[in-house]
Amino acid sequence: MEKKDTKPAVFLDRDGTILKPVPYLRDPSQTELIEGARESIMKLNETGFLTVLISNQSGIGRGYFSFRELFLVSSKMEDLLHPARLDGIFYDPSAPAHLSGFRKPERGMIDSACALLGIDLSRSWIIGDDYSDLMLSVKTDIRFILVMTGYGKDVLSQSNVPKKGYLTAKDISEAVRKVLNA
Ligand SMILES: [Mg+2]
């Protein structure tokens, strides 16, 4: 695809970035948005960014919950986000020991999104709270913002984590402001 036909995207992590962190979330009634998530995604919708959710869901591979439970949580999230829109939703269900090539920090979900949606990675961003999101950005050379919701603070306190080459933000609202002001 020609570059002129492609759009920039913001790749968004789910748990701890859009949704309040609940370990191995499987219950729609525990599915809650982080404050400002809806408004932030609406701003991206209005300013020409594709919004693409990329989320590891190893709870399926580990046998903790089913695809149906994942689907119900995901539907609840989309209902809560409405009228904000996610242009793509990608989940990798594999357990860490299964090298799927899709589980973050591997780039499979990003490559699938590019093939389906037409994305200019050079103008794109990743927003997430976890080490795997940061390492995905290193592997793909996509700009990254680490949010302090979810695991963000823990990631920063680890000695083996790169301290440069990315931005930090209090939450998704501040991260999206940084994207739009860049
Ligand atoms: Mg997360």
Side-chain angles (χ1 to χ4, degrees), residues 9-161:
V10 177
F11 296 98
L12 294 158
D13 170 54
R14 195 190 80 177
D15 301 320
T17 302
I18 294 176
L19 295 184
K20 291 186 181 171
V22 174
Y24 300 109
L25 175 61
R26 55 181 283 186
D27 182 349
S29 73
Q30 288 188 290
T31 303
E32 290 182 62
L33 296 180
I34 285 178
E35 198 184 324
R38 183 196 301 110
E39 296 74 12
S40 305
I41 293 171
M42 279 177 69
K43 270 190 214 157
L44 294 171
N45 295 151
E46 290 161 2
T47 48
F49 280 92
L50 293 169
T51 54
V52 182
L53 181 129
I54 51 171
S55 173
N56 291 346
Q57 291 298 324
S58 71
I60 291 179
R62 296 174 203 261
Y64 297 166
F65 54 83
S66 66
F67 279 103
R68 177 174 166 74
E69 287 170 303
L70 172 64
F71 174 77
L72 292 175
V73 166
S74 195
S75 296
K76 175 72 181 287
M77 173 187 67
E78 286 193 278
D79 289 347
L80 294 171
L81 285 172
H82 183 81
R85 179 189 79 246
L86 294 169
D87 297 296
I89 297 180
F90 295 82
Y91 290 112
D92 180 72
S94 44
H98 175 72
L99 303 177
S100 69
F102 288 83
R103 179 178 162 76
K104 296 182 286 185
E106 299 306 320
R107 58 179 297 148
M109 289 191 280
I110 294 219
D111 290 338
S112 298
C114 288
L116 287 166
L117 299 170
I119 293 170
D120 178 0
L121 293 182
S122 71
R123 292 188 289 147
S124 296
W125 296 78
I126 298 169
I127 298 174
D129 71 310
D130 208 343
Y131 184 64
S132 63
D133 300 305
L134 168 56
M135 293 320 291
L136 175 64
S137 79
V138 171
K139 283 190 183 208
T140 55
D141 209 21
I142 299 172
R143 291 171 291 181
F144 179 60
I145 303 178
L146 181 73
V147 287
M148 295 298 113
T149 44
Y151 290 114
K153 282 188 185 126
D154 301 335
V155 170
L156 276 189
S157 68
Q158 287 165 24
S159 59
N160 62 335
V161 169

